[in-house]
Structures are given as structure tokens and as C-alpha cells.
Amino acid sequence: MNNKRTTRAFLLATLLFLLPLGSVANADYVVTVMGPEAPADKRYEYDRAVIELALTKTRAKFGDFTVRDTLSGQNTRRALIEASNNKYSNFIIKTSMSNDLPESLAVIPFPVDLGIVGYRVAFVSEKNKEALSSVKSLEDLRKFEVIQGLGWLDTRILRHHGFNVRTNAEYQPMFSMAALGRADLFFRGVNELLDEWEANRHISGLSFDETISVYYPLPRFLATSRDNRELIERVHEGLLIAYEDGSLQELWEDKYRASIDFANLSGRKIFRLENPFLEGLDPSWQKYVYQVGSELTQ
């Protein structure tokens, strides 16, 4: 009798091992996403919605799920470390793709922002807004000091191209630093401008530039610990389904279109820079990237 039970258990274990990961539904499947860093921080709302969309598209194959936020107040650099260490259940975050991410991370090769965050526009003080209107060249623009978040890939890209960049560990204070002229330019994604302006326009002296944009390829992929094999398979499959049926583009338009229109890229000088940290990256992600109609200016 014991031998029969052992044999049945062995056969069941073998069958489960041979089945694709998605064949085993898990009703208690918990996925952890990035919570806001500050009360007015809306940067991760789209990320959560995209992840939930991918999980929903694959529910029939993989089963139900629950999505939870990390505690608020955590910055991007810390979150990347915690994703590498798999601190939370199926912790998945969006990160700017580069060729030197931790080896313990696996990235899902799909640019969830459709590359739009590579178009950068700047929060500035009222004084610097006037000064920026006279910028004619990249050399002119390099005269302005930039502030960016600690651990952001933007810092390294801009420094590579000769910009003077200072960093700050916390997201929210950088708006005040720009308003006070403690840094000249606080670059943000064109898709982030409107939400952040509405959340921070009460800051005395804060404004945003309306004349220039800097562009560099900045694909942002979802990343998680390599141990989360089912999550990687499931989210990747769900993203592709959502893109093919158009639901991902609908979500993108709903979240980002108003900010893109508000930024008026067609009315700006756009300076194109290369991203040296994409060397060796499979270029297949480029077919999903949003493109501005007008020619970019160098």
C-alpha cells in the first residue's frame, strides 16, 4: 500500500514538473508592485495597471492573482536591490534597461512605456524658464545644471554627454530644488509632465520649460528575480497578448496622451542623444516604440 502511494506521488510530481508552468493554477498567487514614493507620486500607477492587464490576459491559463503594493517611501534604487533579492512575493518593477543590471534579475523584453519616457522635458524655476528660451544648441543646454534621482540611468546618460548632473536620493524634494534654482533643470518623461505639474504647481517659483526636449532611447522593461519563472512567463505572454489586441495601447493612451499633448513636442527643439548603455541589447524592442512625427534636431 505504501509503495502504491509512493508511486502515485512520484508520478504526480513528475507530471507537474513536465507540465508548462502556466498549466498549474495558483489561487493564492501574489504579485508585488512598487508603491508610491511620496503621497502625490503617480509614477507607478501605469506600471501597476500594465502588470494587472498582463495577469488578467493570462488568467485562464495561469489562474487568479492578487496584486499588492510595497510600502510607500521606497526609492527606485532600493527597490531594484529588493527585486534582485526577491524580498517580496513575486516582486516586479519597471526599470530603465541597460547592459549592466544585476545578474540575479530577469527582464521581460518589452518596453512597457512604448519608449515615450525617452523624450525628456524639464521642470525649472521661472528665472531659468526665460533663460532656456535662448537655447539654440546642445552646447548651450550643457551650461545648465541638471538634477536627477539617485540610481537613475538618466544621470549616467547625461553625464556621458557632458552634462553637469547632481543627484538626490528622494523624488519629491527635486521639484522644490528646481523651483529655488538649486539646480537648473529637473528632467522628466514627457508622459509624466502633466500629472507632476498638477501635483506640484503650488510650489512657489516652479515652472516647466516649453521650448526644448532631450531625447535618448530609454526602454523600460519589467524586471523580477530570475527565480520567479512563472511570473516571467506569465507577464511576458500577457503583455504580448495585450499589445496584439490593442488593450495595452488603449491603457497607454488613457494614461499618457493628455501629458504628451500638453508637452507639445512638435513645438520644441528636440536634441537627440545616444544611449551608450544599450550596447549588446536585442533591438527587437524598438518596433514597439512611439515615434514623434517631426525630424529630431541635433
Side-chain angles (χ1 to χ4, degrees), residues 1 14 16 22 75 162 239-240 272 278 286:
M1 186 66 172
T14 302
L16 292 177
N75 64 31
L239 288 173
L240 294 177
R272 185 182 184 92
L278 296 180
Q286 295 176 3

Side-chain angles (χ1 to χ4, degrees), residues 139-170:
E139 192 57 39
D140 292 339
L141 191 59
R142 288 192 185 102
K143 296 174 184 176
F144 294 85
E145 184 184 44
V146 178
I147 186 163
Q148 296 285 264
L150 184 66
W152 294 3
L153 186 61
D154 306 89
T155 299
R156 297 165 64 193
I157 295 170
L158 291 167
R159 283 175 175 166
H160 175 83
H161 289 282
F163 284 86
N164 178 21
V165 186
R166 63 186 300 185
T167 59
N168 198 69
E170 297 182 20

